Amino acid sequence: RNNNKKAENSSQQFMSTKCSTQVNPKLNLIYFTGRGTKLPFVEQLPKEIQKSRKGLIEDAIRFISSPEFYEDKIACKNWKNPYFVEEMTALINNPEALKWRADMLTLKTRSALQGNFADKNTIVIPWSGGRDSSSILANSFAFFPDKKFKLLTVINGMSENILNPAIQYKRILAKYDNPDKPINVEHYYIDTVDDIKKYVIDTALQDKEILGCPALCSSCKMVMEKSLGNVAKSYGSTDLVLGYSKYQGMQDWIEQTPEQIAFVTDELGKNGIRTSSPLYNVLEYPFDPILLLCSVGIPMKQQKIEMQCKAGGLNPKDLDKEKLLEFLIHKNEQTNDIFRFTPRVLFS
């Protein structure tokens, strides 16, 4: 807590200096490479988006540069590295850097998805309707409209506003769909309520003793990903494209820590299911999804309308990584029966 307070004070002082483009060599290297070059992805976007994207990016920059965004998304979060806060602060005070970051994010995303989708005909995306999964879907529709997409939304018994994911995917689809060549996309709801009760709710107190903090999100993600893998296999696909991002893992969101992602990826792989998070190292900061979505034509008001979970917000301030590994081994053994059954699937 004291470290976070120091980070806040340091970043507020940093903010008051209104940094110029000379924030540090690393930032200049990353965000200004390619100045003056033609951006190849723009021509792939629908004509209307080509016309509107500049204005949308400017809207995003104004929002990201506001005191409200700083307080809500940077100052009050559980960042472990004080320099990371300073780095973000330098960027949000540098509109020119943010403009170039929007372009670089789009180039990186297109490249990451291209590599990920190369050997896949059907793309299976766990779908919540939030900004991170919307970033994957919007860029997929924009740059790879010939693929087949299956969106899977998990209902876990603690879900609220369950119709929101269906609304959000249709809203994004409307931006890119071509009546002469419609995008092939289907949306399904996956019922995991019984498994969540058995492996998450009924074991919550025991899990907390092992992990040292509430384990609902970690347990739920493991159950969900095993169930999603089973459904993907039933559709003839062995791949799941997840919307995890680096900036959330840096806040000790247990289910998005590199440790849990690596562990579950390995266990799913043993059961013939490949998972990937193509944008994990692309979305480094909390404002990156906003810039990325505006860059491909999704206004801020249409960037998310997600299904919420009543158990959200239980991430610890300090996560014991050794206990986490012990917990993951325990929970994995406990939930291996899930691979034997395919959950109930409901068409959206």
Side-chain angles (χ1 to χ4, degrees):
R1 192 171 294 169
N2 289 336
N3 287 338
N4 284 344
K5 190 66 179 175
K6 288 178 185 176
E8 275 186 44
N9 293 337
S10 174
S11 59
Q12 286 167 359
Q13 185 178 14
F14 206 82
M15 197 174 193
S16 67
T17 64
K18 286 290 179 184
C19 298
S20 69
T21 53
Q22 299 175 351
V23 283
N24 71 38
K26 179 186 173 187
L27 295 181
N28 285 331
L29 174 66
I30 294 175
Y31 307 121
F32 292 95
T33 299
R35 180 183 291 277
T37 60
K38 187 176 181 181
L39 297 169
F41 66 83
V42 175
E43 294 178 357
Q44 287 184 255
L45 297 171
K47 297 292 185 186
E48 287 304 310
I49 291 177
Q50 291 183 35
K51 295 175 184 177
S52 66
R53 68 181 294 273
K54 181 179 177 182
L56 295 178
I57 292 171
E58 289 172 352
D59 290 343
I61 291 171
R62 279 191 290 272
F63 172 65
I64 292 166
S65 301
S66 67
E68 293 78 15
F69 181 87
Y70 178 81
E71 290 299 323
D72 185 44
K73 298 299 182 183
I74 297 179
C76 68
K77 298 295 184 180
N78 185 34
W79 307 112
K80 299 299 182 182
N81 184 347
Y83 181 73
F84 186 68
V85 179
E86 293 184 350
E87 198 173 80
M88 288 190 286
T89 306
L91 275 168
I92 66 175
N93 284 305
N94 191 329
E96 187 68 16
L98 289 174
K99 287 178 186 177
W100 280 98
R101 183 154 183 80
D103 292 337
M104 293 304 107
L105 284 169
T106 314
L107 285 167
K108 282 183 170 182
T109 296
R110 190 183 67 157
S111 177
L113 294 180
Q114 188 170 28
N116 191 278
F117 293 175
D119 60 346
K120 302 181 182 76
N121 292 318
T122 300
I123 312 301
V124 182
I125 303 175
W127 174 246
S128 68
R131 275 202 180 97
D132 290 345
S133 55
S134 290
S135 294
I136 288 181
L137 192 65
N139 282 270
S140 298
F141 285 170
F143 302 124
F144 308 97
D146 294 333
K147 298 289 186 180
K148 296 179 181 178
F149 298 95
K150 293 192 183 295
L151 312 182
L152 307 181
T153 298
V154 173
I155 301 173
N156 65 6
M158 297 176 280
S159 310
E160 296 182 300
N161 303 313
I162 63 174
L163 294 181
N164 283 357
I167 295 169
Q168 178 64 359
Y169 105 79
K170 291 174 183 175
R171 193 158 64 173
I172 293 176
L173 179 63
K175 293 285 183 181
Y176 305 103
D177 208 17
N178 182 347
D180 297 327
K181 195 176 181 182
I183 294 173
N184 188 332
V185 56
E186 295 173 347
H187 177 221
Y188 300 89
Y189 285 95
I190 312 302
D191 182 358
T192 64
V193 173
D194 291 341
D195 282 338
I196 294 294
K197 181 181 185 303
K198 181 178 180 180
Y199 298 117
V200 180
I201 305 301
D202 292 350
T203 63
L205 293 178
Q206 178 191 12
D207 291 346
K208 184 178 179 181
E209 286 184 12
I210 297 172
L211 185 59
C213 62
L216 294 176
C217 294
S218 179
S219 302
C220 184
K221 278 292 185 183
M222 187 177 290
V223 171
M224 287 166 55
E225 287 176 18
K226 289 182 176 182
S227 300
L228 287 164
N230 279 350
V231 174
K233 288 172 77 173
S234 73
Y235 291 133
S237 175
T238 57
D239 294 88
L240 290 175
V241 179
L242 303 171
Y244 293 154
S245 56
K246 186 176 182 178
Y247 72 90
Q248 291 179 338
M250 290 182 71
Q251 298 175 71
D252 276 353
W253 287 36
I254 304 176
E255 72 280 7
Q256 297 202 34
T257 54
E259 290 82 5
Q260 171 145 349
I261 291 174
F263 183 91
V264 176
T265 296
D266 184 57
E267 290 301 318
L268 289 172
K270 293 174 184 176
N271 288 273
I273 301 162
R274 294 191 300 175
T275 63
S276 59
S277 302
L279 300 193
Y280 190 85
N281 288 313
V282 174
L283 302 178
E284 299 177 285
Y285 303 114
F287 45 78
D288 281 350
I290 300 172
L291 288 171
L292 177 58
L293 285 164
C294 284
S295 179
V296 293
I298 308 297
M300 283 189 295
K301 290 183 178 180
Q302 297 179 14
Q303 290 186 354
K304 68 171 186 174
I305 174 169
E306 62 188 321
M307 181 175 67
Q308 289 86 27
C309 179
K310 292 180 181 179
L314 295 176
N315 300 300
K317 289 294 181 185
D318 293 292
L319 179 63
D320 187 322
K321 299 298 176 68
E322 289 186 10
K323 284 187 176 181
L324 174 59
L325 182 58
E326 178 188 350
F327 170 74
L328 291 172
I329 293 170
H330 161 77
K331 184 57 65 172
N332 180 60
E333 292 174 352
Q334 193 181 69
T335 58
N336 269 338
D337 279 351
I338 293 174
F339 288 120
R340 297 170 52 200
F341 309 101
T342 300
R344 191 162 61 112
V345 178
L346 310 170
F347 189 69
S348 173

